[in-house]
Short mmCIF file of all heavy atoms in Angstrom, two decimals:
data_model
loop_
_atom_site.label_atom_id
_atom_site.label_comp_id
_atom_site.label_asym_id
_atom_site.label_seq_id
_atom_site.Cartn_x
_atom_site.Cartn_y
_atom_site.Cartn_z
N GLY A 27 15.77 36.30 64.43
CA GLY A 27 15.14 35.87 63.22
C GLY A 27 13.95 34.97 63.40
O GLY A 27 13.59 34.59 64.57
N GLY A 40 8.86 30.02 64.70
CA GLY A 40 9.52 30.33 65.97
C GLY A 40 10.26 31.62 65.98
O GLY A 40 10.89 32.04 65.00
N PRO A 63 -2.87 35.54 71.58
CA PRO A 63 -1.62 35.17 72.20
C PRO A 63 -0.91 33.99 71.49
O PRO A 63 -1.52 33.30 70.68
CB PRO A 63 -2.06 34.78 73.61
CG PRO A 63 -3.52 34.51 73.54
CD PRO A 63 -4.05 35.35 72.45
N GLY A 94 4.31 16.27 74.38
CA GLY A 94 3.13 15.85 73.60
C GLY A 94 2.26 17.02 73.20
O GLY A 94 2.58 18.23 73.44
N LYS A 110 5.65 40.81 76.32
CA LYS A 110 4.21 41.06 76.52
C LYS A 110 3.46 40.78 75.16
O LYS A 110 2.25 40.49 75.20
CB LYS A 110 3.93 42.51 76.94
CG LYS A 110 4.56 42.84 78.31
CD LYS A 110 3.79 42.09 79.37
CE LYS A 110 4.27 42.57 80.78
NZ LYS A 110 3.66 41.79 81.84
N PRO A 124 7.01 20.08 73.08
CA PRO A 124 6.69 19.31 71.91
C PRO A 124 7.36 17.95 71.89
O PRO A 124 8.43 17.75 72.45
CB PRO A 124 7.19 20.18 70.76
CG PRO A 124 8.26 21.00 71.34
CD PRO A 124 7.82 21.25 72.74
N LYS A 150 -5.43 31.06 57.76
CA LYS A 150 -5.32 30.09 56.67
C LYS A 150 -4.98 28.72 57.20
O LYS A 150 -4.81 28.48 58.39
CB LYS A 150 -4.28 30.55 55.64
CG LYS A 150 -4.60 31.93 55.05
CD LYS A 150 -5.91 31.95 54.31
CE LYS A 150 -6.18 33.28 53.66
NZ LYS A 150 -7.54 33.33 53.01
N VAL A 151 -4.87 27.75 56.27
CA VAL A 151 -4.70 26.36 56.64
C VAL A 151 -3.30 26.17 57.25
O VAL A 151 -2.28 26.67 56.76
CB VAL A 151 -4.82 25.47 55.38
CG1 VAL A 151 -4.66 24.03 55.78
CG2 VAL A 151 -6.18 25.68 54.73
N ALA A 161 5.30 27.76 50.73
CA ALA A 161 4.27 28.34 49.91
C ALA A 161 3.58 29.48 50.59
O ALA A 161 3.23 30.46 49.96
CB ALA A 161 3.27 27.25 49.52
N GLY A 162 3.41 29.38 51.90
CA GLY A 162 2.61 30.39 52.60
C GLY A 162 3.43 31.60 53.12
O GLY A 162 2.94 32.74 53.11
N ASP A 172 13.45 21.33 57.53
CA ASP A 172 12.57 20.32 56.92
C ASP A 172 12.65 18.99 57.62
O ASP A 172 13.67 18.26 57.47
CB ASP A 172 12.97 20.16 55.39
CG ASP A 172 11.98 19.30 54.67
OD1 ASP A 172 11.13 18.64 55.29
OD2 ASP A 172 12.08 19.23 53.47
N GLY A 179 -0.87 16.17 62.99
CA GLY A 179 -1.56 16.87 61.95
C GLY A 179 -2.59 17.89 62.37
O GLY A 179 -3.10 18.62 61.52
N GLU A 181 -3.42 20.89 65.62
CA GLU A 181 -2.69 21.59 66.71
C GLU A 181 -3.00 20.92 68.09
O GLU A 181 -3.84 20.08 68.25
CB GLU A 181 -3.10 23.08 66.75
CG GLU A 181 -2.58 23.84 65.52
CD GLU A 181 -3.59 23.83 64.39
OE1 GLU A 181 -4.53 23.00 64.45
OE2 GLU A 181 -3.38 24.58 63.45
N SER A 182 -2.18 21.38 69.05
CA SER A 182 -2.29 20.87 70.39
C SER A 182 -3.64 21.19 71.05
O SER A 182 -4.25 22.20 70.73
CB SER A 182 -1.17 21.40 71.28
OG SER A 182 -1.23 22.82 71.35
N CYS A 187 -5.30 25.94 83.29
CA CYS A 187 -5.24 25.47 84.66
C CYS A 187 -5.22 26.65 85.61
O CYS A 187 -4.62 26.59 86.72
CB CYS A 187 -3.98 24.59 84.85
SG CYS A 187 -4.14 22.94 84.12
N VAL A 201 -9.91 14.84 74.56
CA VAL A 201 -10.44 15.39 75.78
C VAL A 201 -10.73 14.24 76.78
O VAL A 201 -10.51 14.42 78.00
CB VAL A 201 -11.72 16.21 75.55
CG1 VAL A 201 -12.38 16.64 76.86
CG2 VAL A 201 -11.39 17.41 74.68
N GLN A 210 -12.05 14.37 86.44
CA GLN A 210 -13.05 15.35 86.44
C GLN A 210 -13.34 15.83 85.02
O GLN A 210 -12.45 15.70 84.12
CB GLN A 210 -12.72 16.52 87.33
CG GLN A 210 -11.60 17.39 86.86
CD GLN A 210 -11.23 18.48 87.84
OE1 GLN A 210 -10.39 18.34 88.70
NE2 GLN A 210 -11.88 19.67 87.72
N VAL A 213 -14.11 22.07 82.16
CA VAL A 213 -15.07 23.20 81.92
C VAL A 213 -14.87 23.64 80.49
O VAL A 213 -13.78 23.69 79.95
CB VAL A 213 -14.78 24.32 82.91
CG1 VAL A 213 -15.64 25.50 82.62
CG2 VAL A 213 -14.93 23.90 84.35
N HIS A 230 -11.03 30.60 61.25
CA HIS A 230 -9.66 30.19 61.40
C HIS A 230 -9.42 28.94 60.51
O HIS A 230 -10.39 28.24 60.18
CB HIS A 230 -9.36 29.88 62.85
CG HIS A 230 -7.94 30.05 63.29
ND1 HIS A 230 -7.26 31.27 63.02
CD2 HIS A 230 -7.09 29.31 63.91
CE1 HIS A 230 -6.02 31.16 63.53
NE2 HIS A 230 -5.88 29.95 64.04
N GLY A 247 -21.02 21.54 41.51
CA GLY A 247 -20.09 22.62 41.66
C GLY A 247 -19.19 22.45 42.89
O GLY A 247 -18.27 23.23 43.06
N ALA A 258 -15.28 10.24 46.80
CA ALA A 258 -14.93 11.63 47.10
C ALA A 258 -13.77 12.03 46.26
O ALA A 258 -12.96 11.19 45.83
CB ALA A 258 -14.64 11.79 48.58
N MET A 285 -6.11 22.85 44.00
CA MET A 285 -7.09 22.47 43.00
C MET A 285 -7.97 23.64 42.57
O MET A 285 -8.67 23.59 41.52
CB MET A 285 -7.99 21.36 43.49
CG MET A 285 -7.29 19.99 43.72
SD MET A 285 -8.30 18.89 44.73
CE MET A 285 -9.88 18.79 43.73
N ALA A 289 -15.93 25.65 46.15
CA ALA A 289 -17.01 25.16 47.02
C ALA A 289 -16.61 23.76 47.50
O ALA A 289 -16.40 22.90 46.69
CB ALA A 289 -18.35 25.21 46.39
N ALA A 291 -17.60 20.51 50.00
CA ALA A 291 -18.45 19.72 50.93
C ALA A 291 -17.62 18.76 51.74
O ALA A 291 -16.66 18.17 51.18
CB ALA A 291 -19.51 19.01 50.12
N ARG A 302 -13.28 15.34 67.61
CA ARG A 302 -13.65 16.64 68.21
C ARG A 302 -12.73 17.77 67.71
O ARG A 302 -13.15 18.88 67.37
CB ARG A 302 -13.64 16.60 69.72
CG ARG A 302 -14.73 15.69 70.31
CD ARG A 302 -14.67 15.67 71.82
NE ARG A 302 -15.04 16.95 72.43
CZ ARG A 302 -15.27 17.07 73.75
NH1 ARG A 302 -15.19 16.03 74.52
NH2 ARG A 302 -15.59 18.26 74.23
N ARG A 310 -14.46 26.10 62.16
CA ARG A 310 -13.83 27.43 62.02
C ARG A 310 -13.47 27.68 60.56
O ARG A 310 -13.55 28.87 60.09
CB ARG A 310 -12.52 27.50 62.91
CG ARG A 310 -12.88 27.39 64.40
CD ARG A 310 -11.66 27.40 65.30
NE ARG A 310 -11.94 26.96 66.62
CZ ARG A 310 -12.35 27.77 67.63
NH1 ARG A 310 -12.53 29.08 67.34
NH2 ARG A 310 -12.65 27.31 68.79
N ALA A 311 -13.09 26.68 59.81
CA ALA A 311 -12.84 26.83 58.39
C ALA A 311 -14.11 27.23 57.62
O ALA A 311 -14.06 27.93 56.63
CB ALA A 311 -12.31 25.54 57.82
#
Side-chain angles (χ1 to χ4, degrees):
K110 295 294 186 184
K150 300 301 182 182
V151 182
D172 188 351
E181 291 89 350
S182 59
C187 287
V201 173
Q210 66 185 93
V213 176
H230 209 52
M285 292 165 57
R302 293 179 67 170
R310 295 175 195 275

